[in-house]
Amino acid sequence: LHWAAANDGAGAEVLLMVLEAHERAAGVADNFGQLPLHWLCTSALGDARALTLLLDAHPPAAGTADRQKRTPCHVLCASSRIDQASLAAALPALLAAAPASAALADSRGQTPLHVLCANQTHAGSLGAEALRALVGAAPAATGMVDLEGHTPLHYLAKSHPEAGELWQILIAAAEAAEAAGAAGAAGAAG
């Protein structure tokens, strides 16, 4: 099932045939701790039904971290094979299935937002929809610092310096998260 999920040409029909033969295959991890959903998120996601099929077959998969602490959301944001439209369609589905995955840090201390902003293969095509989906799911991730001392904004500046709209989205979300944190701290103190 892992290979079928990663194969851009396989599609939902092949995944369905494998799942019919081995109904628990969607919950079986490989040697790296990755489920078929992780593998699907490395593909071009040409068949959106494949994502729904794997999420339905094993709902916990969306929030399952591999040995590097990467969820399928991390893997999707790092993929060099996915286009803007597929990314914008897949992210909300993954986040709906596992909302907390947007705030989870991997072994490098990076959230999916860090990974998306750092992904240079999305240069010129990183869409506002994908960025909004991640900051909407985990506003505090905008200010999270990874193990290298960088926030998502640092990575956006390096990988997408020309993307003014994306800068505005990320800065506004960071300011809102900071204000909410300050309001929460003031309420707890009073």
Side-chain angles (χ1 to χ4, degrees), residues 84-127:
Q84 179 180 342
S86 297
L87 179 67
L91 262 177
L94 287 175
L95 294 171
S101 68
L104 294 178
D106 63 14
S107 62
R108 297 175 54 201
Q110 295 183 340
T111 65
L113 184 59
H114 285 87
V115 175
L116 182 69
C117 290
N119 191 339
Q120 293 182 354
T121 60
H122 291 305
S125 68
L126 175 59

PDB file of all heavy atoms in Angstrom, residues 84-127:
ATOM      1  N   GLN A  84       0.266  23.919  -6.311  1.00  0.00           N
ATOM      2  CA  GLN A  84      -0.422  24.818  -5.384  1.00  0.00           C
ATOM      3  C   GLN A  84      -1.871  24.404  -5.159  1.00  0.00           C
ATOM      4  O   GLN A  84      -2.350  24.405  -4.026  1.00  0.00           O
ATOM      5  CB  GLN A  84      -0.360  26.248  -5.923  1.00  0.00           C
ATOM      6  CG  GLN A  84      -1.059  27.267  -5.052  1.00  0.00           C
ATOM      7  CD  GLN A  84      -0.959  28.667  -5.623  1.00  0.00           C
ATOM      8  OE1 GLN A  84      -0.130  28.937  -6.456  1.00  0.00           O
ATOM      9  NE2 GLN A  84      -1.815  29.545  -5.161  1.00  0.00           N
ATOM     10  N   ALA A  85      -2.581  24.041  -6.211  1.00  0.00           N
ATOM     11  CA  ALA A  85      -3.993  23.677  -6.075  1.00  0.00           C
ATOM     12  C   ALA A  85      -4.162  22.409  -5.239  1.00  0.00           C
ATOM     13  O   ALA A  85      -5.044  22.346  -4.374  1.00  0.00           O
ATOM     14  CB  ALA A  85      -4.619  23.497  -7.455  1.00  0.00           C
ATOM     15  N   SER A  86      -3.325  21.409  -5.477  1.00  0.00           N
ATOM     16  CA  SER A  86      -3.417  20.166  -4.709  1.00  0.00           C
ATOM     17  C   SER A  86      -3.053  20.391  -3.253  1.00  0.00           C
ATOM     18  O   SER A  86      -3.660  19.825  -2.354  1.00  0.00           O
ATOM     19  CB  SER A  86      -2.510  19.093  -5.318  1.00  0.00           C
ATOM     20  OG  SER A  86      -2.938  18.776  -6.622  1.00  0.00           O
ATOM     21  N   LEU A  87      -2.037  21.228  -3.021  1.00  0.00           N
ATOM     22  CA  LEU A  87      -1.636  21.562  -1.657  1.00  0.00           C
ATOM     23  C   LEU A  87      -2.781  22.258  -0.922  1.00  0.00           C
ATOM     24  O   LEU A  87      -3.115  21.908   0.212  1.00  0.00           O
ATOM     25  CB  LEU A  87      -0.389  22.454  -1.673  1.00  0.00           C
ATOM     26  CG  LEU A  87       0.158  22.921  -0.330  1.00  0.00           C
ATOM     27  CD1 LEU A  87       0.697  21.745   0.471  1.00  0.00           C
ATOM     28  CD2 LEU A  87       1.258  23.952  -0.554  1.00  0.00           C
ATOM     29  N   ALA A  88      -3.401  23.227  -1.581  1.00  0.00           N
ATOM     30  CA  ALA A  88      -4.496  23.978  -0.955  1.00  0.00           C
ATOM     31  C   ALA A  88      -5.706  23.096  -0.688  1.00  0.00           C
ATOM     32  O   ALA A  88      -6.447  23.332   0.265  1.00  0.00           O
ATOM     33  CB  ALA A  88      -4.894  25.158  -1.849  1.00  0.00           C
ATOM     34  N   ALA A  89      -5.903  22.062  -1.492  1.00  0.00           N
ATOM     35  CA  ALA A  89      -7.031  21.142  -1.280  1.00  0.00           C
ATOM     36  C   ALA A  89      -6.724  20.107  -0.202  1.00  0.00           C
ATOM     37  O   ALA A  89      -7.602  19.742   0.577  1.00  0.00           O
ATOM     38  CB  ALA A  89      -7.379  20.441  -2.592  1.00  0.00           C
ATOM     39  N   ALA A  90      -5.487  19.631  -0.157  1.00  0.00           N
ATOM     40  CA  ALA A  90      -5.136  18.551   0.771  1.00  0.00           C
ATOM     41  C   ALA A  90      -4.941  19.036   2.208  1.00  0.00           C
ATOM     42  O   ALA A  90      -5.310  18.334   3.151  1.00  0.00           O
ATOM     43  CB  ALA A  90      -3.871  17.850   0.284  1.00  0.00           C
ATOM     44  N   LEU A  91      -4.349  20.206   2.386  1.00  0.00           N
ATOM     45  CA  LEU A  91      -4.080  20.695   3.746  1.00  0.00           C
ATOM     46  C   LEU A  91      -5.326  20.783   4.615  1.00  0.00           C
ATOM     47  O   LEU A  91      -5.311  20.289   5.747  1.00  0.00           O
ATOM     48  CB  LEU A  91      -3.376  22.056   3.697  1.00  0.00           C
ATOM     49  CG  LEU A  91      -1.871  22.035   3.842  1.00  0.00           C
ATOM     50  CD1 LEU A  91      -1.304  23.438   3.698  1.00  0.00           C
ATOM     51  CD2 LEU A  91      -1.428  21.420   5.137  1.00  0.00           C
ATOM     52  N   PRO A  92      -6.406  21.390   4.136  1.00  0.00           N
ATOM     53  CA  PRO A  92      -7.600  21.451   4.993  1.00  0.00           C
ATOM     54  C   PRO A  92      -8.132  20.071   5.383  1.00  0.00           C
ATOM     55  O   PRO A  92      -8.608  19.885   6.500  1.00  0.00           O
ATOM     56  CB  PRO A  92      -8.617  22.217   4.137  1.00  0.00           C
ATOM     57  CG  PRO A  92      -7.774  23.038   3.217  1.00  0.00           C
ATOM     58  CD  PRO A  92      -6.576  22.183   2.916  1.00  0.00           C
ATOM     59  N   ALA A  93      -8.021  19.102   4.492  1.00  0.00           N
ATOM     60  CA  ALA A  93      -8.492  17.752   4.810  1.00  0.00           C
ATOM     61  C   ALA A  93      -7.638  17.135   5.916  1.00  0.00           C
ATOM     62  O   ALA A  93      -8.165  16.527   6.853  1.00  0.00           O
ATOM     63  CB  ALA A  93      -8.457  16.871   3.564  1.00  0.00           C
ATOM     64  N   LEU A  94      -6.325  17.288   5.813  1.00  0.00           N
ATOM     65  CA  LEU A  94      -5.444  16.758   6.858  1.00  0.00           C
ATOM     66  C   LEU A  94      -5.668  17.480   8.182  1.00  0.00           C
ATOM     67  O   LEU A  94      -5.706  16.848   9.240  1.00  0.00           O
ATOM     68  CB  LEU A  94      -3.978  16.896   6.452  1.00  0.00           C
ATOM     69  CG  LEU A  94      -3.468  15.956   5.374  1.00  0.00           C
ATOM     70  CD1 LEU A  94      -2.033  16.303   4.999  1.00  0.00           C
ATOM     71  CD2 LEU A  94      -3.570  14.509   5.824  1.00  0.00           C
ATOM     72  N   LEU A  95      -5.817  18.796   8.128  1.00  0.00           N
ATOM     73  CA  LEU A  95      -6.006  19.578   9.352  1.00  0.00           C
ATOM     74  C   LEU A  95      -7.368  19.303   9.997  1.00  0.00           C
ATOM     75  O   LEU A  95      -7.481  19.318  11.221  1.00  0.00           O
ATOM     76  CB  LEU A  95      -5.823  21.066   9.065  1.00  0.00           C
ATOM     77  CG  LEU A  95      -4.399  21.473   8.668  1.00  0.00           C
ATOM     78  CD1 LEU A  95      -4.366  22.923   8.188  1.00  0.00           C
ATOM     79  CD2 LEU A  95      -3.425  21.248   9.797  1.00  0.00           C
ATOM     80  N   ALA A  96      -8.374  19.030   9.182  1.00  0.00           N
ATOM     81  CA  ALA A  96      -9.685  18.684   9.741  1.00  0.00           C
ATOM     82  C   ALA A  96      -9.621  17.337  10.463  1.00  0.00           C
ATOM     83  O   ALA A  96     -10.253  17.160  11.502  1.00  0.00           O
ATOM     84  CB  ALA A  96     -10.737  18.633   8.628  1.00  0.00           C
ATOM     85  N   ALA A  97      -8.822  16.417   9.914  1.00  0.00           N
ATOM     86  CA  ALA A  97      -8.701  15.095  10.520  1.00  0.00           C
ATOM     87  C   ALA A  97      -7.820  15.108  11.768  1.00  0.00           C
ATOM     88  O   ALA A  97      -8.024  14.304  12.682  1.00  0.00           O
ATOM     89  CB  ALA A  97      -8.137  14.104   9.501  1.00  0.00           C
ATOM     90  N   ALA A  98      -6.848  16.014  11.800  1.00  0.00           N
ATOM     91  CA  ALA A  98      -5.920  16.092  12.946  1.00  0.00           C
ATOM     92  C   ALA A  98      -5.503  17.543  13.159  1.00  0.00           C
ATOM     93  O   ALA A  98      -4.388  17.939  12.808  1.00  0.00           O
ATOM     94  CB  ALA A  98      -4.695  15.212  12.701  1.00  0.00           C
ATOM     95  N   PRO A  99      -6.379  18.364  13.735  1.00  0.00           N
ATOM     96  CA  PRO A  99      -6.086  19.793  13.899  1.00  0.00           C
ATOM     97  C   PRO A  99      -4.803  20.072  14.682  1.00  0.00           C
ATOM     98  O   PRO A  99      -4.080  21.022  14.372  1.00  0.00           O
ATOM     99  CB  PRO A  99      -7.301  20.341  14.650  1.00  0.00           C
ATOM    100  CG  PRO A  99      -8.362  19.313  14.517  1.00  0.00           C
ATOM    101  CD  PRO A  99      -7.696  18.008  14.262  1.00  0.00           C
ATOM    102  N   ALA A 100      -4.502  19.249  15.662  1.00  0.00           N
ATOM    103  CA  ALA A 100      -3.316  19.479  16.493  1.00  0.00           C
ATOM    104  C   ALA A 100      -2.008  19.281  15.729  1.00  0.00           C
ATOM    105  O   ALA A 100      -0.962  19.783  16.153  1.00  0.00           O
ATOM    106  CB  ALA A 100      -3.334  18.563  17.706  1.00  0.00           C
ATOM    107  N   SER A 101      -2.065  18.589  14.589  1.00  0.00           N
ATOM    108  CA  SER A 101      -0.834  18.333  13.827  1.00  0.00           C
ATOM    109  C   SER A 101      -0.201  19.621  13.311  1.00  0.00           C
ATOM    110  O   SER A 101       1.001  19.660  13.067  1.00  0.00           O
ATOM    111  CB  SER A 101      -1.087  17.362  12.676  1.00  0.00           C
ATOM    112  OG  SER A 101      -1.916  17.941  11.688  1.00  0.00           O
ATOM    113  N   ALA A 102      -0.977  20.680  13.168  1.00  0.00           N
ATOM    114  CA  ALA A 102      -0.431  21.953  12.686  1.00  0.00           C
ATOM    115  C   ALA A 102       0.538  22.574  13.682  1.00  0.00           C
ATOM    116  O   ALA A 102       1.396  23.363  13.297  1.00  0.00           O
ATOM    117  CB  ALA A 102      -1.566  22.936  12.385  1.00  0.00           C
ATOM    118  N   ALA A 103       0.415  22.224  14.942  1.00  0.00           N
ATOM    119  CA  ALA A 103       1.279  22.805  15.978  1.00  0.00           C
ATOM    120  C   ALA A 103       2.383  21.860  16.444  1.00  0.00           C
ATOM    121  O   ALA A 103       3.195  22.233  17.287  1.00  0.00           O
ATOM    122  CB  ALA A 103       0.435  23.224  17.176  1.00  0.00           C
ATOM    123  N   LEU A 104       2.425  20.655  15.888  1.00  0.00           N
ATOM    124  CA  LEU A 104       3.423  19.680  16.330  1.00  0.00           C
ATOM    125  C   LEU A 104       4.784  19.964  15.705  1.00  0.00           C
ATOM    126  O   LEU A 104       4.887  20.181  14.497  1.00  0.00           O
ATOM    127  CB  LEU A 104       2.990  18.256  15.965  1.00  0.00           C
ATOM    128  CG  LEU A 104       1.759  17.740  16.685  1.00  0.00           C
ATOM    129  CD1 LEU A 104       1.413  16.340  16.196  1.00  0.00           C
ATOM    130  CD2 LEU A 104       1.962  17.738  18.185  1.00  0.00           C
ATOM    131  N   ALA A 105       5.807  19.939  16.535  1.00  0.00           N
ATOM    132  CA  ALA A 105       7.176  20.146  16.045  1.00  0.00           C
ATOM    133  C   ALA A 105       7.810  18.786  15.750  1.00  0.00           C
ATOM    134  O   ALA A 105       7.628  17.824  16.504  1.00  0.00           O
ATOM    135  CB  ALA A 105       8.000  20.892  17.088  1.00  0.00           C
ATOM    136  N   ASP A 106       8.562  18.721  14.657  1.00  0.00           N
ATOM    137  CA  ASP A 106       9.260  17.487  14.299  1.00  0.00           C
ATOM    138  C   ASP A 106      10.602  17.420  15.034  1.00  0.00           C
ATOM    139  O   ASP A 106      10.863  18.224  15.934  1.00  0.00           O
ATOM    140  CB  ASP A 106       9.425  17.377  12.784  1.00  0.00           C
ATOM    141  CG  ASP A 106      10.287  18.470  12.167  1.00  0.00           C
ATOM    142  OD1 ASP A 106      10.997  19.200  12.900  1.00  0.00           O
ATOM    143  OD2 ASP A 106      10.275  18.596  10.934  1.00  0.00           O
ATOM    144  N   SER A 107      11.448  16.492  14.660  1.00  0.00           N
ATOM    145  CA  SER A 107      12.724  16.311  15.361  1.00  0.00           C
ATOM    146  C   SER A 107      13.667  17.496  15.183  1.00  0.00           C
ATOM    147  O   SER A 107      14.627  17.627  15.928  1.00  0.00           O
ATOM    148  CB  SER A 107      13.407  15.019  14.887  1.00  0.00           C
ATOM    149  OG  SER A 107      13.700  15.108  13.505  1.00  0.00           O
ATOM    150  N   ARG A 108      13.363  18.378  14.238  1.00  0.00           N
ATOM    151  CA  ARG A 108      14.167  19.593  14.038  1.00  0.00           C
ATOM    152  C   ARG A 108      13.508  20.804  14.707  1.00  0.00           C
ATOM    153  O   ARG A 108      13.968  21.933  14.557  1.00  0.00           O
ATOM    154  CB  ARG A 108      14.359  19.847  12.550  1.00  0.00           C
ATOM    155  CG  ARG A 108      15.150  18.720  11.883  1.00  0.00           C
ATOM    156  CD  ARG A 108      15.251  18.882  10.388  1.00  0.00           C
ATOM    157  NE  ARG A 108      15.797  20.186  10.047  1.00  0.00           N
ATOM    158  CZ  ARG A 108      15.625  20.755   8.867  1.00  0.00           C
ATOM    159  NH1 ARG A 108      14.928  20.156   7.926  1.00  0.00           N
ATOM    160  NH2 ARG A 108      16.147  21.929   8.622  1.00  0.00           N
ATOM    161  N   GLY A 109      12.415  20.559  15.407  1.00  0.00           N
ATOM    162  CA  GLY A 109      11.693  21.630  16.074  1.00  0.00           C
ATOM    163  C   GLY A 109      10.815  22.430  15.134  1.00  0.00           C
ATOM    164  O   GLY A 109      10.361  23.515  15.484  1.00  0.00           O
ATOM    165  N   GLN A 110      10.538  21.887  13.949  1.00  0.00           N
ATOM    166  CA  GLN A 110       9.761  22.616  12.955  1.00  0.00           C
ATOM    167  C   GLN A 110       8.319  22.123  12.893  1.00  0.00           C
ATOM    168  O   GLN A 110       8.055  20.924  12.885  1.00  0.00           O
ATOM    169  CB  GLN A 110      10.406  22.464  11.573  1.00  0.00           C
ATOM    170  CG  GLN A 110      11.773  23.107  11.492  1.00  0.00           C
ATOM    171  CD  GLN A 110      12.384  23.018  10.115  1.00  0.00           C
ATOM    172  OE1 GLN A 110      12.010  22.193   9.291  1.00  0.00           O
ATOM    173  NE2 GLN A 110      13.339  23.886   9.858  1.00  0.00           N
ATOM    174  N   THR A 111       7.417  23.076  12.839  1.00  0.00           N
ATOM    175  CA  THR A 111       6.011  22.783  12.621  1.00  0.00           C
ATOM    176  C   THR A 111       5.795  22.679  11.104  1.00  0.00           C
ATOM    177  O   THR A 111       6.674  23.062  10.319  1.00  0.00           O
ATOM    178  CB  THR A 111       5.122  23.908  13.173  1.00  0.00           C
ATOM    179  OG1 THR A 111       5.369  25.101  12.420  1.00  0.00           O
ATOM    180  CG2 THR A 111       5.362  24.142  14.659  1.00  0.00           C
ATOM    181  N   PRO A 112       4.633  22.203  10.673  1.00  0.00           N
ATOM    182  CA  PRO A 112       4.360  22.219   9.233  1.00  0.00           C
ATOM    183  C   PRO A 112       4.479  23.623   8.623  1.00  0.00           C
ATOM    184  O   PRO A 112       4.877  23.762   7.471  1.00  0.00           O
ATOM    185  CB  PRO A 112       2.926  21.685   9.137  1.00  0.00           C
ATOM    186  CG  PRO A 112       2.830  20.755  10.304  1.00  0.00           C
ATOM    187  CD  PRO A 112       3.602  21.463  11.406  1.00  0.00           C
ATOM    188  N   LEU A 113       4.191  24.650   9.409  1.00  0.00           N
ATOM    189  CA  LEU A 113       4.326  26.020   8.903  1.00  0.00           C
ATOM    190  C   LEU A 113       5.792  26.348   8.605  1.00  0.00           C
ATOM    191  O   LEU A 113       6.092  26.957   7.568  1.00  0.00           O
ATOM    192  CB  LEU A 113       3.744  27.013   9.913  1.00  0.00           C
ATOM    193  CG  LEU A 113       3.730  28.482   9.489  1.00  0.00           C
ATOM    194  CD1 LEU A 113       2.932  28.675   8.205  1.00  0.00           C
ATOM    195  CD2 LEU A 113       3.151  29.337  10.610  1.00  0.00           C
ATOM    196  N   HIS A 114       6.704  25.964   9.474  1.00  0.00           N
ATOM    197  CA  HIS A 114       8.132  26.141   9.197  1.00  0.00           C
ATOM    198  C   HIS A 114       8.506  25.459   7.881  1.00  0.00           C
ATOM    199  O   HIS A 114       9.183  26.035   7.026  1.00  0.00           O
ATOM    200  CB  HIS A 114       8.998  25.496  10.294  1.00  0.00           C
ATOM    201  CG  HIS A 114       9.069  26.219  11.578  1.00  0.00           C
ATOM    202  ND1 HIS A 114       8.145  26.025  12.574  1.00  0.00           N
ATOM    203  CD2 HIS A 114       9.970  27.113  12.067  1.00  0.00           C
ATOM    204  CE1 HIS A 114       8.464  26.778  13.611  1.00  0.00           C
ATOM    205  NE2 HIS A 114       9.576  27.446  13.341  1.00  0.00           N
ATOM    206  N   VAL A 115       8.062  24.204   7.770  1.00  0.00           N
ATOM    207  CA  VAL A 115       8.412  23.390   6.609  1.00  0.00           C
ATOM    208  C   VAL A 115       7.871  24.011   5.324  1.00  0.00           C
ATOM    209  O   VAL A 115       8.581  24.110   4.322  1.00  0.00           O
ATOM    210  CB  VAL A 115       7.902  21.947   6.789  1.00  0.00           C
ATOM    211  CG1 VAL A 115       8.158  21.114   5.549  1.00  0.00           C
ATOM    212  CG2 VAL A 115       8.541  21.295   8.011  1.00  0.00           C
ATOM    213  N   LEU A 116       6.614  24.443   5.354  1.00  0.00           N
ATOM    214  CA  LEU A 116       6.009  25.062   4.173  1.00  0.00           C
ATOM    215  C   LEU A 116       6.753  26.334   3.777  1.00  0.00           C
ATOM    216  O   LEU A 116       7.067  26.538   2.605  1.00  0.00           O
ATOM    217  CB  LEU A 116       4.538  25.378   4.428  1.00  0.00           C
ATOM    218  CG  LEU A 116       3.787  25.980   3.239  1.00  0.00           C
ATOM    219  CD1 LEU A 116       3.619  24.940   2.140  1.00  0.00           C
ATOM    220  CD2 LEU A 116       2.434  26.506   3.688  1.00  0.00           C
ATOM    221  N   CYS A 117       7.058  27.175   4.749  1.00  0.00           N
ATOM    222  CA  CYS A 117       7.739  28.436   4.452  1.00  0.00           C
ATOM    223  C   CYS A 117       9.175  28.220   3.965  1.00  0.00           C
ATOM    224  O   CYS A 117       9.697  29.017   3.192  1.00  0.00           O
ATOM    225  CB  CYS A 117       7.742  29.344   5.683  1.00  0.00           C
ATOM    226  SG  CYS A 117       6.105  29.991   6.096  1.00  0.00           S
ATOM    227  N   ALA A 118       9.800  27.135   4.394  1.00  0.00           N
ATOM    228  CA  ALA A 118      11.177  26.846   3.995  1.00  0.00           C
ATOM    229  C   ALA A 118      11.269  26.132   2.657  1.00  0.00           C
ATOM    230  O   ALA A 118      12.342  26.114   2.044  1.00  0.00           O
ATOM    231  CB  ALA A 118      11.866  25.988   5.059  1.00  0.00           C
ATOM    232  N   ASN A 119      10.183  25.561   2.199  1.00  0.00           N
ATOM    233  CA  ASN A 119      10.207  24.743   0.993  1.00  0.00           C
ATOM    234  C   ASN A 119      10.421  25.605  -0.246  1.00  0.00           C
ATOM    235  O   ASN A 119       9.502  26.254  -0.721  1.00  0.00           O
ATOM    236  CB  ASN A 119       8.920  23.937   0.871  1.00  0.00           C
ATOM    237  CG  ASN A 119       8.995  22.886  -0.196  1.00  0.00           C
ATOM    238  OD1 ASN A 119       9.815  22.955  -1.107  1.00  0.00           O
ATOM    239  ND2 ASN A 119       8.128  21.906  -0.089  1.00  0.00           N
ATOM    240  N   GLN A 120      11.639  25.594  -0.748  1.00  0.00           N
ATOM    241  CA  GLN A 120      11.980  26.422  -1.902  1.00  0.00           C
ATOM    242  C   GLN A 120      11.382  25.898  -3.193  1.00  0.00           C
ATOM    243  O   GLN A 120      11.310  26.627  -4.173  1.00  0.00           O
ATOM    244  CB  GLN A 120      13.486  26.556  -2.029  1.00  0.00           C
ATOM    245  CG  GLN A 120      14.086  27.338  -0.885  1.00  0.00           C
ATOM    246  CD  GLN A 120      15.577  27.517  -1.008  1.00  0.00           C
ATOM    247  OE1 GLN A 120      16.222  26.977  -1.884  1.00  0.00           O
ATOM    248  NE2 GLN A 120      16.133  28.307  -0.110  1.00  0.00           N
ATOM    249  N   THR A 121      10.954  24.653  -3.220  1.00  0.00           N
ATOM    250  CA  THR A 121      10.344  24.143  -4.446  1.00  0.00           C
ATOM    251  C   THR A 121       8.979  24.770  -4.689  1.00  0.00           C
ATOM    252  O   THR A 121       8.465  24.708  -5.789  1.00  0.00           O
ATOM    253  CB  THR A 121      10.201  22.609  -4.415  1.00  0.00           C
ATOM    254  OG1 THR A 121       9.384  22.255  -3.311  1.00  0.00           O
ATOM    255  CG2 THR A 121      11.549  21.938  -4.305  1.00  0.00           C
ATOM    256  N   HIS A 122       8.418  25.380  -3.651  1.00  0.00           N
ATOM    257  CA  HIS A 122       7.151  26.080  -3.836  1.00  0.00           C
ATOM    258  C   HIS A 122       7.372  27.530  -4.236  1.00  0.00           C
ATOM    259  O   HIS A 122       6.428  28.289  -4.337  1.00  0.00           O
ATOM    260  CB  HIS A 122       6.316  26.049  -2.548  1.00  0.00           C
ATOM    261  CG  HIS A 122       5.795  24.704  -2.198  1.00  0.00           C
ATOM    262  ND1 HIS A 122       5.043  23.949  -3.055  1.00  0.00           N
ATOM    263  CD2 HIS A 122       5.940  23.961  -1.085  1.00  0.00           C
ATOM    264  CE1 HIS A 122       4.735  22.803  -2.486  1.00  0.00           C
ATOM    265  NE2 HIS A 122       5.266  22.788  -1.283  1.00  0.00           N
ATOM    266  N   ALA A 123       8.618  27.921  -4.475  1.00  0.00           N
ATOM    267  CA  ALA A 123       8.928  29.313  -4.824  1.00  0.00           C
ATOM    268  C   ALA A 123       8.066  29.753  -5.997  1.00  0.00           C
ATOM    269  O   ALA A 123       7.990  29.094  -7.019  1.00  0.00           O
ATOM    270  CB  ALA A 123      10.408  29.471  -5.165  1.00  0.00           C
ATOM    271  N   GLY A 124       7.419  30.869  -5.819  1.00  0.00           N
ATOM    272  CA  GLY A 124       6.560  31.406  -6.853  1.00  0.00           C
ATOM    273  C   GLY A 124       5.195  30.743  -6.896  1.00  0.00           C
ATOM    274  O   GLY A 124       4.308  31.203  -7.581  1.00  0.00           O
ATOM    275  N   SER A 125       5.029  29.648  -6.183  1.00  0.00           N
ATOM    276  CA  SER A 125       3.736  28.975  -6.234  1.00  0.00           C
ATOM    277  C   SER A 125       3.154  28.703  -4.850  1.00  0.00           C
ATOM    278  O   SER A 125       2.116  28.092  -4.741  1.00  0.00           O
ATOM    279  CB  SER A 125       3.853  27.654  -7.004  1.00  0.00           C
ATOM    280  OG  SER A 125       4.632  26.736  -6.282  1.00  0.00           O
ATOM    281  N   LEU A 126       3.863  29.103  -3.803  1.00  0.00           N
ATOM    282  CA  LEU A 126       3.332  28.907  -2.456  1.00  0.00           C
ATOM    283  C   LEU A 126       2.070  29.751  -2.353  1.00  0.00           C
ATOM    284  O   LEU A 126       2.115  30.963  -2.478  1.00  0.00           O
ATOM    285  CB  LEU A 126       4.359  29.332  -1.401  1.00  0.00           C
ATOM    286  CG  LEU A 126       3.900  29.297   0.045  1.00  0.00           C
ATOM    287  CD1 LEU A 126       3.459  27.902   0.436  1.00  0.00           C
ATOM    288  CD2 LEU A 126       5.002  29.759   0.956  1.00  0.00           C
ATOM    289  N   GLY A 127       0.958  29.102  -2.166  1.00  0.00           N
ATOM    290  CA  GLY A 127      -0.316  29.793  -2.182  1.00  0.00           C
ATOM    291  C   GLY A 127      -0.739  30.342  -0.843  1.00  0.00           C
ATOM    292  O   GLY A 127      -0.425  29.791   0.208  1.00  0.00           O
TER     293      GLY A 127
END
